[in-house]
Amino acid sequence: MKPPFIVCILLSVICGGSLGQENYRGGIVYGPKAAFNIGAPKGWVLDNESGASQGLPCVLYPKGSSWSDAKTVMYAKIASTQFEDVNAFVATAIKDMMKKHGAPKEKIASGKTKDGHDYFINEYPATRSYSQWERVAYVQLPRAVAYIVLSSQDEASYRKDAPALQEVLKTLVYLEPKTDSKPH
């Protein structure tokens, strides 16, 4: 079951009467223990509506395409509340995906987000039983794990679009959860 608490709120609307794909520059992904802000890389669209029916309220895809027809897409989420440690989350994710994907290429890239949080990227090449080429960035946040998935329909699109994932990571900023301190 997908957690219903993850919401992508759009931060900035491009002014000047633009319609359709250029509506949003960035968004916030919320979870019960953490939130983070991301921005769309150049040439990409951040969309808070198209993936919502799939439990993905924050999706990205190249301009000129859509969530349903893009050869490469991305989506951003926060791991289940049972995971606060990135390594524990990744170990469970790999175990769950082994049947479909086989063994990933682990830690093909690593670095820091815009605000200095550590991330690493695993690659999940297509297999006979799973045709998608995927790359997943895992980010250790305070008391939570963020992840962003880049998924392509074919290897050529994957190779062309894979750098966009690190561009998104360069925009990622952790947002401290706010507690209601007002007396009731």
Side-chain angles (χ1 to χ4, degrees), residues 1 17 19 23 27 34 44 48 56 66-67 70 79 96 102-103 120 128 136 141 148 153 164 168 179:
M1 184 169 139
L19 297 172
N23 287 347
W44 284 71
N48 74 324
L56 303 170
S66 69
W67 174 246
D96 291 345
F120 63 89
R128 286 187 197 144
V136 182
L141 299 175
I148 303 170
Q153 295 176 4
V168 171
T179 56

Side-chain angles (χ1 to χ4, degrees), residues 31-36 77-87 89 117-118 138-147 174-175 177:
K33 294 183 178 182
F36 63 93
K77 294 187 83 166
I78 294 178
S80 163
T81 56
Q82 75 187 65
F83 295 103
E84 290 187 2
D85 177 72
V86 71
N87 294 314
F89 175 69
H117 288 88
D118 291 324
Y138 302 97
V139 183
Q140 180 65 66
L141 299 175
R143 299 187 51 227
V145 178
Y147 64 102
Y174 168 73
L175 301 172

Side-chain angles (χ1 to χ4, degrees), residues 102-125:
K105 294 179 182 175
E106 294 189 54
K107 298 186 179 179
I108 62 165
S110 62
K112 296 204 178 278
T113 63
K114 183 177 182 177
D115 64 346
H117 288 88
D118 291 324
Y119 74 81
F120 63 89
I121 298 173
N122 285 356
E123 181 176 74
Y124 300 87

Side-chain angles (χ1 to χ4, degrees), residues 73 75 96-102 123-136 149-155:
V73 297
Y75 60 90
D96 291 345
M97 290 190 281
M98 283 292 283
K99 296 174 194 89
K100 217 190 265 191
H101 284 283
E123 181 176 74
Y124 300 87
T127 64
R128 286 187 197 144
S129 62
Y130 191 75
S131 63
Q132 296 293 108
W133 284 79
E134 294 183 338
R135 180 174 280 217
V136 182
V149 177
L150 178 135
S151 184
S152 298
Q153 295 176 4
D154 56 66
E155 185 176 6

